[in-house]
Amino acid sequence: MKAPRIEFCGEWYDITPGEPFFVGRESDLIIDENPFLHRRFLSISHENDLWWLSNVGNLLAATVTDTTGQVQAWLAPGARLPVVFPELQVMFSAGSTTYEFTIHSEPEYFGTTSLTTMQAGTTTVGPVHLTSSQRLLIVALAENVLKQDSPGRGEIPASADAAARLGWTQTAFNRKLDNVCDKLDRIGVRGLRGGRGKLATGRRSRLVEYAVSSRLVDSDDLVLLDRERSEAPGSTDS
């Protein structure tokens, strides 16, 4: 079985059969020198006639989806899943930065369409209905990620900066962020709550991971940001 290849920031990386391929701060694929990132966070290895993506870190989690965004897995520390789609998108956050790379494989064990999905220990993403303001909020947080031409890295803005980008008060922004996180938590999206009813401290990054990987928002939505600013009270735009 031919080894998969990895695409990150426009560059391609080959995996040597018989040797695990590591992704992290000091690995075969050096993602970044970000101190919040594990030295070795993820690994890709061959076992039992399958290639496996494993989380070998002890703190961070990754979001893994197929190209349609309909099948999604939450890869927690110690977890692993088989690489069974021709392309897998892998997203994760360390500090205020969200990273993304793609695993490309030749064999296709499973395929997805707009009508059907197949899953193996993963979540099938159903329709999520967002209000216009909830969509705007997500796009403002995901702006830097959505602007990427190829899988790479994007900074997640602070709530105050995202609110200013939209022309909202921070109080209004935080209230809408609470609402959208509550809505997604109720349908089973993990990582938005920190336990005992509390919202997770890294919920902005996790929200971006989920929304981008599940195609809840995409680059076509970026136009909404400038439209919101131009229509805001007191705007000088024509």
Side-chain angles (χ1 to χ4, degrees):
M1 181 184 297
K2 191 172 182 180
R5 303 184 73 205
I6 294 179
E7 180 186 6
F8 175 67
C9 285
E11 297 186 5
W12 290 82
Y13 298 81
D14 293 312
I15 298 174
T16 303
E19 298 179 10
F21 183 93
F22 291 100
V23 177
R25 194 176 74 244
E26 298 176 12
S27 301
D28 300 294
L29 168 53
I30 300 175
I31 293 290
D32 201 351
E33 296 181 354
N34 187 337
F36 294 100
L37 182 62
H38 297 307
R39 291 176 57 252
R40 288 183 171 182
F41 171 41
L42 301 170
S43 75
I44 302 170
S45 58
H46 189 257
E47 183 181 339
N48 297 326
D49 294 326
L50 287 173
W51 288 94
W52 295 83
L53 175 65
S54 305
N55 187 336
V56 296
N58 57 16
L59 181 62
L60 303 178
T63 301
V64 185
T65 61
D66 71 315
T67 54
T68 69
Q70 296 181 84
V71 180
Q72 185 177 107
W74 169 263
L75 198 65
R80 70 173 187 168
L81 58 85
V83 179
V84 295
F85 292 99
E87 290 185 23
L88 281 180
Q89 179 187 39
V90 183
M91 296 189 71
F92 55 91
S93 300
S96 62
T97 307
T98 292
Y99 302 94
E100 175 187 354
F101 66 87
T102 304
I103 303 174
H104 297 260
S105 304
E106 284 193 345
E108 181 177 353
Y109 295 96
F110 296 107
T112 56
T113 68
S114 59
L115 298 177
T116 62
T117 58
M118 297 186 68
Q119 55 181 327
T122 59
T123 298
T124 301
V125 181
V128 178
H129 301 289
L130 298 174
T131 66
S132 58
S133 61
Q134 288 171 343
R135 182 173 299 278
L136 275 168
L137 180 146
I138 294 173
V139 174
L141 290 174
E143 182 178 12
N144 293 327
V145 175
L146 293 173
K147 284 182 175 179
Q148 299 175 126
D149 293 327
S150 60
R153 61 175 67 87
E155 292 293 321
I156 307 300
S159 293
D161 295 330
R165 178 76 170 94
L166 294 168
W168 297 353
T169 66
Q170 188 164 352
T171 298
F173 181 91
N174 289 338
R175 184 178 66 253
K176 294 176 189 294
L177 178 59
D178 290 344
N179 291 339
V180 74
C181 287
D182 283 339
K183 175 179 288 188
L184 294 175
D185 178 72
R186 286 195 299 270
I187 66 169
V189 178
R190 300 177 61 184
L192 296 174
R193 287 206 168 275
R196 295 185 179 180
K198 296 181 180 179
L199 293 167
T201 55
R203 59 181 175 153
R204 286 180 294 110
S205 296
R206 172 56 184 148
L207 177 59
V208 169
E209 285 181 33
Y210 174 80
V212 174
S213 62
S214 65
R215 313 303 188 269
L216 194 58
V217 297
D218 58 30
S219 58
D220 291 340
D221 293 312
L222 289 171
V223 67
L224 300 174
L225 295 176
D226 293 328
R227 184 182 303 167
E228 175 72 5
R229 287 293 296 175
S230 66
E231 295 177 355
S235 171
T236 58
D237 295 340
S238 57

